[in-house]
């Protein structure tokens, strides 16, 4: 699925003039998405957003525009395929009854077996119910899958599917099944869709499932959108399982169409074998199609650089104006998010402002910083803004509130005073000021 994107990213990162490379990448992206049968309107919307952000956003110091652009593409593609939220697969209560619907041949029965294995491996007792009385061998197919996945099984090969479903759920839950998956026939195909949908509605209203999952063949592409909508009218669809994503380039069309409607793709089938089922996670999916397995480290670096931008801002405020504990607090918080100070200093060569102050901070252990952060959490706004007002009785209150000692509070105030003196010295250093591009400092 969307195999061409990896190559496009590689090409983009490997050189050429930036603007031209962006244009070219956007064209590649559009072509790949259209090839995957993503709706044209959605494609244009996506690439417009990517372009807009690429023009508007400034990468943090230390990051290249190229890396930043890849990050933008990654974020927008993640959103395109469903965003931050990974699907919830663990049922909120038990027993939990899942009804599988979809047209014939979409992969329902196979997927029922896959889900049974998936949930068995997660520690649930699973039951499978076959209601397909139309296709010869359907019952045996699911029964075999039940055996292979260690699930309980119930099936009848004659009679009313809604009745069979009802008896199956009752039987298997009474045997202790925590998750019951009801497979349906979907024999009618396109021509007799009306009858199929009517039957789904009857089964659904008979067993009242906790969740209805529609199984869609990935090869359907963007047409899946209409199909799901028609099913939804008859029985509210709670989630989507896209089967056979391994066999077609068009999976991207199904996935983006689903995301565009706000529906959740919960699973994707990636092969004929029972274990070839995945929980669909948009971010993971986006990073995989972009070939960004190794991008993880790049993204991490970019995150750190963004934090560094924060850090630098507070440092700049300190050099320019008044040193307050509020700024110290913000700086510690930003720094803590980034990991050990010593690592930060190595990581960010562009961290030019007030390096002395940071080097000072680097000498303080992380334990101490955590302690100081909790001390500052116990201070009032006024105290943070004007630490000079902190007398002995305030110290006692702060120590008590933060579960530390007066000595600890004193050591923080000591650090603060040193920092303030350091900043004063820095401010007198005209050379440094010039280097930092700071002119209008109020020299004391
Ligand atoms: N390659 C591949 N084949 C699949 C996948 N899921 C189902 N199939 C195949 O699709 C065909 C129809 O599957 P089936 O479960 O019987 O569909 P049903 O009619 O909806 O129950 C079978 O040949 C399956 O082996 C998948 O994720 N990948
Ligand atoms: Mg079937």
């Amino acid at each position: 699925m969307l195999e061409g994107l990896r190559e496009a990213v590689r090409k983009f990162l490997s050189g050429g003039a930036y603007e031209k490379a962006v244009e070219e990448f956007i064209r590649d992206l559009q072509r790949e998405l259209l090839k995957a049968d993503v709706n044209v309107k959605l494609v244009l919307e996506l690439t417009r957003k990517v372009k807009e952000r690429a023009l508007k956003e400034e990468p943090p110091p230390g990051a290249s525009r190229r890396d930043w652009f890849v990050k933008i593409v990654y974020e927008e593609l993640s959103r395109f395929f469903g965003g931050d939220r990974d699907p919830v697969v663990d049922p909120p209560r038990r027993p939990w009854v899942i009804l599988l619907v979809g047209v014939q041949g979409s992969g329902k029965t196979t997927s029922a077996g896959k889900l049974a294995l998936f949930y068995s491996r997660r520690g649930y007792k699973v039951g499978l119910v076959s209601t397909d009385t139309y296709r010869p061998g359907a019952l045996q197919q699911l029964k075999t899958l039940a055996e292979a996945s260690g699930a309980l099984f119930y099936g009848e090969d004659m009679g009313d599917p809604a009745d069979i479903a009802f008896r199956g759920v009752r039987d298997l839950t009474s045997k202790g099944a925590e998750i019951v998956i009801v497979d349906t026939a979907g024999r009618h195909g396109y021509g007799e869709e009306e009858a199929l949908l009517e039957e789904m509605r009857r089964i659904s209203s008979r067993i009242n499932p906790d969740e209805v999952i529609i199984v869609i063949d990935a090869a359907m592409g963007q047409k899946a959108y209409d199909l799901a909508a028609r099913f939804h009218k008859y029985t509210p669809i709670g989630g989507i399982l896209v089967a056979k994503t391994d066999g077609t380039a068009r999976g991207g069309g199904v996935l983006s169409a689903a995301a565009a409607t706000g529906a959740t793709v919960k699973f994707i089938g990636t092969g004929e074998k029972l274990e070839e089922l995945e929980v669909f996670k948009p971010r993971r999916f986006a990073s995989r199609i972009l070939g960004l397995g190794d991008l993880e480290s790049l993204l991490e670096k970019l995150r750190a650089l963004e934090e560094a931008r924060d850090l630098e801002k507070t440092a700049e405020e300190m050099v320019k104006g008044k040193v307050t504990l509020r700024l110290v607090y913000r700086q510690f918080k930003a720094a803590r998010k980034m990991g050990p100070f010593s690592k930060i200093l190595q990581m960010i060569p562009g961290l030019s402002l007030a390096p002395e102050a940071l080097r000072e901070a680097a000498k303080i252990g992380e334990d101490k910083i955590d302690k100081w952060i909790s001390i500052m959490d116990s201070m009032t706004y006024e105290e943070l803004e004007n630490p000079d007002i902190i007398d002995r009785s305030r110290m006692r209150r702060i120590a008590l509130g933060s579960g530390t000692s007066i000595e600890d509070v004193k050591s923080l105030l000591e650090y603060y005073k040193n920092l303030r003196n350091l900043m004063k010295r820095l401010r007198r250093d005209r050379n440094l000021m010039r280097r930092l591009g700071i002119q209008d400092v109020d020299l004391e």
Side-chain angles (χ1 to χ4, degrees):
M1 230 184 320
L2 295 162
E3 280 84 5
L5 279 181
R6 284 158 196 255
E7 186 47 39
V9 171
R10 245 196 313 271
K11 203 171 71 191
F12 174 77
L13 286 174
S14 72
Y18 174 76
E19 275 78 14
K20 221 176 125 229
V22 166
E23 285 299 322
E24 214 167 295
F25 180 83
I26 297 243
R27 264 202 309 276
D28 288 347
L29 178 64
Q30 290 174 336
R31 199 189 45 239
E32 283 301 312
L33 291 171
L34 290 173
K35 231 168 46 189
D37 199 39
V38 175
N39 178 281
V40 181
K41 231 177 76 201
L42 293 180
V43 172
L44 293 178
E45 224 169 85
L46 171 75
T47 49
R48 189 186 46 75
K49 249 190 259 164
V50 168
K51 255 197 210 159
E52 194 183 287
R53 282 186 62 185
L55 283 176
K56 207 172 59 194
E57 286 176 22
E58 182 114 2
S64 75
R65 281 202 293 174
R66 226 171 267 270
D67 287 350
W68 195 251
F69 180 75
V70 173
K71 181 186 119 103
I72 292 173
V73 171
Y74 163 72
E75 283 175 357
E76 290 303 327
L77 263 185
S78 303
R79 191 169 328 169
F80 191 65
F81 287 114
D84 282 344
R85 266 179 317 135
D86 289 338
V88 178
V89 295
D90 289 298
R93 57 176 184 277
R94 295 168 222 175
W96 187 256
V97 177
I98 300 172
L99 178 66
L100 286 187
V101 300
V103 298
Q104 182 176 34
S106 56
K108 282 184 306 302
T109 304
T110 311
S111 300
K114 288 177 174 183
L115 287 170
L117 181 69
F118 172 83
Y119 280 116
S120 298
R121 284 186 175 166
R122 269 176 111 81
Y124 296 96
K125 191 160 179 182
V126 184
L128 287 172
V129 179
S130 170
T131 64
D132 187 349
T133 55
Y134 305 97
R135 202 167 60 78
L139 184 141
Q140 192 52 47
Q141 185 193 0
L142 192 66
K143 194 171 179 191
T144 308
L145 291 171
E147 274 156 24
S149 59
L152 300 168
F153 175 77
Y154 184 94
E156 297 176 34
D157 50 13
M158 257 193 301
D160 176 32
D163 289 339
I164 300 172
F166 182 80
R167 285 193 289 271
V169 170
R170 197 180 48 192
D171 179 65
L172 296 182
T173 48
S174 78
K175 287 182 178 140
E178 299 168 290
I179 297 179
V180 178
I181 300 162
V182 179
D183 184 23
T184 56
R187 75 211 133 116
H188 312 273
Y190 266 116
E192 293 168 82
E193 195 181 87
E194 188 76 24
L196 161 69
L197 292 171
E198 200 45 61
E199 185 169 295
M200 294 301 130
R201 167 147 60 197
R202 261 182 357 92
I203 297 177
S204 180
S205 64
R206 191 75 205 280
I207 62 171
N208 213 350
D210 298 290
E211 182 176 16
V212 180
I213 293 183
I214 185 169
V215 178
I216 295 176
D217 187 328
M220 278 204 96
Q222 57 178 299
K223 279 208 301 280
Y225 178 97
D226 300 323
L227 179 76
R230 286 199 299 278
F231 267 85
H232 191 70
K233 263 204 245 146
Y234 282 76
T235 144
I237 303 294
I240 298 175
L241 187 156
V242 182
K244 310 188 209 177
T245 59
D246 53 310
T248 171
R250 295 156 73 90
V254 179
L255 295 169
S256 58
T261 62
T264 310
V265 175
K266 293 186 94 165
F267 298 97
I268 59 176
T270 57
E272 291 195 50
K273 288 207 235 48
L274 215 49
E275 59 270 23
E276 288 175 314
L277 179 82
E278 269 179 36
V279 176
F280 181 70
K281 299 183 173 175
R283 282 183 171 270
R284 185 176 64 186
F285 179 71
S287 100
R288 193 194 299 158
I289 57 177
L290 289 172
L292 301 182
D294 42 329
L295 183 87
E296 214 29 60
S297 57
L298 169 67
L299 291 175
E300 222 162 78
K301 185 178 135 204
L302 290 177
R303 267 195 295 275
L305 288 171
E306 273 180 289
E307 299 290 348
R309 184 151 56 179
D310 233 33
L311 215 56
E312 244 185 320
K313 246 202 253 129
T314 55
E316 191 179 307
E317 277 178 57
M318 279 191 199
V319 178
K320 273 185 175 168
K322 196 172 145 201
V323 181
T324 67
L325 274 180
R326 221 161 34 76
L327 287 177
V328 171
Y329 184 82
R330 255 173 54 199
Q331 213 175 30
F332 280 177
K333 276 280 200 191
R336 274 317 260 142
K337 264 197 263 172
M338 295 168 61
F341 273 107
S342 47
K343 221 175 89 198
I344 300 167
L345 290 176
Q346 291 161 14
M347 208 158 39
I348 306 149
L351 199 63
S352 53
L353 269 165
E356 287 83 353
L358 277 172
R359 236 170 269 140
E360 274 309 304
K363 286 186 214 140
I364 314 164
E366 272 102 49
D367 291 353
K368 201 164 208 176
I369 288 183
D370 289 343
K371 202 180 250 180
W372 286 354
I373 287 178
S374 64
I375 289 174
M376 287 186 274
D377 278 331
S378 291
M379 290 184 183
T380 64
Y381 185 85
E382 204 192 353
E383 287 161 353
L384 290 171
E385 192 64 23
N386 271 316
D388 288 334
I389 64 169
I390 300 177
D391 55 13
R392 184 113 190 135
S393 85
R394 283 182 191 255
M395 275 188 217
R396 201 172 306 123
R397 192 209 78 234
I398 294 164
L400 210 64
S402 56
T404 59
S405 68
I406 291 193
E407 293 315 306
D408 292 326
V409 180
K410 267 192 190 155
S411 75
L412 169 63
L413 293 174
E414 192 71 21
Y415 168 80
Y416 161 74
K417 275 179 197 140
N418 288 338
L419 187 67
R420 192 168 58 183
N421 291 335
L422 178 70
M423 288 300 156
K424 258 188 209 152
R425 272 210 312 283
L426 282 179
R427 256 173 260 167
R428 283 192 211 102
D429 185 342
R430 291 183 174 278
N431 272 335
L432 177 70
M433 288 294 119
R434 211 172 307 121
R435 219 172 62 228
L436 300 179
I438 298 172
Q439 274 118 30
D440 47 351
V441 195
D442 181 16
L443 290 178
E444 292 168 59

